[in-house]
Amino acid sequence: MKADAIRGHLDGLLLAVLEPGPRHGYAIITAVQQRSGGALELRTGTIYPALNRLERLGLLRSTWDSVGERRRRCYELTDAGRRGLADERSAWRAFTTAIGSVLDPQPGSAT
Amino acid sequence: MKADAIRGHLDGLLLAVLEPGPRHGYAIITAVQQRSGGALELRTGTIYPALNRLERLGLLRSTWDSVGERRRRCYELTDAGRRGLADERSAWRAFTTAIGSVLDPQPGSAT
DNA sequence: AATAATGTGTAGGCTGTCTACCTATGAAGG
DNA sequence: CCTTCATAGGTAGACAGCCTACACATTATT
């Protein structure tokens, strides 16, 4: 996987894995990894700043919870986050359609 | 279209529009625009450095030709360029599969 | 005791794309 | 003749977002 291929698509990934329910950062990484069949391995340095940004934008809200002595920060979607996810999904469809039609043009289309 | 969504996919676009035959820069821009149904509007500042890079890498070769007094630089795929295009296409499929399976998971897959 | 797994986070750098700008020819219209 | 638009090629510099590398702490395993 090319290093910066996911640029511009990270937000959608984060919102999508939070759709079923709240998750903490580490679980987000493993969820993305599992869902993508191991293809996407996000780093902490990638997601934590992004999660902060999404919270600042009001798409996420976070709460601290504790398991024993260990603290973890759980993120969940806000209503704006759900709308944002819908936007990301339609943007993704438009994007893949656009790139796909250039990369693999239909035989009938103009050259 | 998010500004930098195409990051990491530009090379594939350029190689793909050059597959049918040689083209000069301006024609590459219009070809991408037409093939994508107007969704992708590349700028000269985007493609010329990229074309130079691809030529440096040996994926393209360029020749000057003249129409009257006007000179234009025509780019065409090398054999390495054709192989590069095939690589870009399979990378694109892997990429869309990966992102897609996170963004719109199949009901059966693990959360 | 040491190592791996779990868990959160920051600092700094990289690089490819974008914005903005510049130059030049040819055709069309006034 | 002059202006304007389409065609054609190009550079300089900034910017944003992701990556690399690092730091720290707790819990489980060997």
Side-chain angles (χ1 to χ4, degrees):
Chain A
M1 181 75 59
K2 211 179 290 185
D4 61 1
I6 68 157
R7 272 184 99 97
H9 309 288
L10 177 62
D11 294 4
L13 298 180
L14 298 177
L15 296 176
V17 296
L18 289 172
E19 195 182 27
R23 272 210 174 84
H24 59 281
Y26 195 80
I28 289 173
I29 292 176
T30 55
V32 168
Q33 196 175 354
Q34 281 173 19
R35 282 214 214 179
S36 66
L40 298 175
E41 303 201 6
L42 304 178
R43 307 307 163 108
T44 62
T46 299
I47 69 155
Y48 287 116
L51 290 170
N52 289 334
R53 180 168 42 79
L54 291 174
E55 186 170 19
R56 242 187 356 260
L57 293 173
L59 304 184
L60 299 181
R61 114 174 35 94
S62 71
T63 51
W64 286 98
D65 76 320
S66 297
V67 179
E69 205 61 27
R70 176 177 291 164
R71 81 219 160 88
R72 36 158 93 153
R73 194 163 160 192
C74 271
Y75 298 88
E76 62 180 323
L77 293 182
T78 62
D79 288 343
R82 281 174 212 288
R83 289 193 297 272
L85 176 54
D87 291 346
E88 291 284 348
R89 285 197 170 116
S90 64
W92 171 250
R93 277 190 288 274
F95 173 71
T96 52
T97 301
I99 303 284
S101 60
V102 175
L103 220 48
D104 301 295
Q106 300 306 312
S109 61
T111 45
Chain B
M1 181 75 60
K2 211 178 292 185
D4 60 2
I6 68 158
R7 270 186 100 97
H9 309 289
L10 178 62
D11 294 6
L13 298 181
L14 298 177
L15 297 176
V17 296
L18 288 172
E19 195 181 26
R23 273 209 174 85
H24 59 282
Y26 194 81
I28 289 173
I29 291 175
T30 56
V32 168
Q33 196 175 354
Q34 281 173 20
R35 282 214 214 179
S36 68
L40 299 174
E41 303 201 4
L42 304 178
R43 307 306 162 108
T44 63
T46 299
I47 68 155
Y48 287 117
L51 290 170
N52 289 334
R53 179 167 44 78
L54 291 173
E55 187 170 18
R56 242 187 357 259
L57 293 172
L59 304 184
L60 299 180
R61 115 174 33 95
S62 70
T63 51
W64 287 99
D65 76 319
S66 297
V67 179
E69 205 61 29
R70 176 177 294 164
R71 81 224 159 85
R72 36 158 96 152
R73 194 164 161 192
C74 270
Y75 298 87
E76 63 180 324
L77 294 181
T78 61
D79 287 344
R82 281 175 211 289
R83 288 193 297 273
L85 175 55
D87 292 345
E88 291 284 348
R89 285 199 171 115
S90 64
W92 171 250
R93 275 190 290 272
F95 173 71
T96 52
T97 300
I99 303 285
S101 60
V102 175
L103 218 49
D104 300 296
Q106 301 306 311
S109 61
T111 46

